[in-house]
Amino acid sequence: MSEMTTTGEDSGGGRDEAVSRFVERFAAELTAAGMQRMASRVFAALLASETGSLTSAELAGQLQISPAAVSGAIRYLTQVGMVSRERDPGTRRERYVLHNELWYETFTRRDQVLIRWEKVLDEGTEILGPDTPGGRRTAETAEFFAFLHGEMTGIMDRWRARKAARGPA
């Protein structure tokens, strides 16, 4: 897949326009789901790139945004564990790289959040009393998170098996 040059010029004409439209469409979906708008755009651009990594200048040129906007988006994406920073060998330039197993890692971390929420909700049920309206609601919510945790574990196991059967990408 061709990419925009660091000056923002198309290196592949109509294909670059189609890629840009895809990046913006997927970024809009991520934003609608709650991710910060600029982080969504940067993430989508990295996802669509040939190597899964771009420099700040490449991102700024492709997305037509300021280096400061790239910096803020990267800060968010690194904090949530979706990208990492690497140095280009022999330069001071940083390259931003998507994590391998990105979605697996993201959902595994989410699974850990579910466990913590379930524990706090169980404590809340005990404090509120299991026979009170609030206690019943917190108990049902804890039960839902326990169910979701169990299902997520099975889903992740099936994903690993499917990926192994498919072989290297």
Side-chain angles (χ1 to χ4, degrees):
M1 173 184 345
S2 61
E3 294 177 14
M4 301 281 272
T5 65
T6 57
T7 61
E9 298 169 1
D10 275 352
S11 61
R15 182 173 172 83
D16 281 344
E17 289 175 24
V19 169
S20 290
R21 281 192 306 274
F22 161 74
V23 165
E24 295 303 329
R25 252 187 19 247
F26 187 55
E29 291 295 331
L30 293 171
T31 301
M35 186 184 281
Q36 296 175 358
R37 181 175 179 271
M38 207 52 67
S40 297
R41 294 182 72 212
V42 167
F43 176 77
L46 285 166
L47 187 66
S49 71
E50 278 294 315
T51 61
S53 72
L54 295 167
T55 65
S56 179
E58 290 167 336
L59 285 162
Q62 179 179 341
L63 298 172
Q64 299 179 351
I65 58 177
S66 71
V70 172
S71 179
I74 291 297
R75 185 173 28 261
Y76 171 82
L77 292 169
T78 55
Q79 286 173 347
V80 297
M82 295 177 79
V83 301
S84 59
R85 301 169 190 251
E86 294 179 0
R87 287 260 184 227
D88 267 349
T91 72
R92 293 180 359 171
R93 256 187 350 192
E94 284 189 329
R95 179 165 291 283
Y96 307 114
V97 183
L98 289 177
H99 286 185
N100 289 334
E101 303 283 325
L102 169 70
W103 297 115
Y104 178 81
E105 291 174 18
T106 299
F107 280 95
T108 299
R109 279 191 304 278
R110 183 72 54 185
D111 194 47
Q112 293 165 355
V113 170
L114 291 174
I115 293 168
R116 290 195 316 265
W117 288 356
E118 180 187 348
K119 182 179 178 194
V120 171
L121 287 162
D122 284 340
E123 291 170 4
T125 301
E126 190 173 314
I127 290 167
L128 296 168
D131 295 326
T132 67
R136 285 190 293 275
R137 283 191 301 273
T138 57
E140 183 176 338
T141 304
E143 184 182 353
F144 172 74
F145 288 141
F147 171 78
L148 199 55
H149 171 251
E151 292 298 307
M152 192 65 71
T153 301
I155 289 169
M156 291 298 136
D157 290 344
R158 289 190 301 279
W159 170 249
R160 279 192 301 272
R162 178 181 179 152
K163 190 173 176 187
R166 180 183 72 207

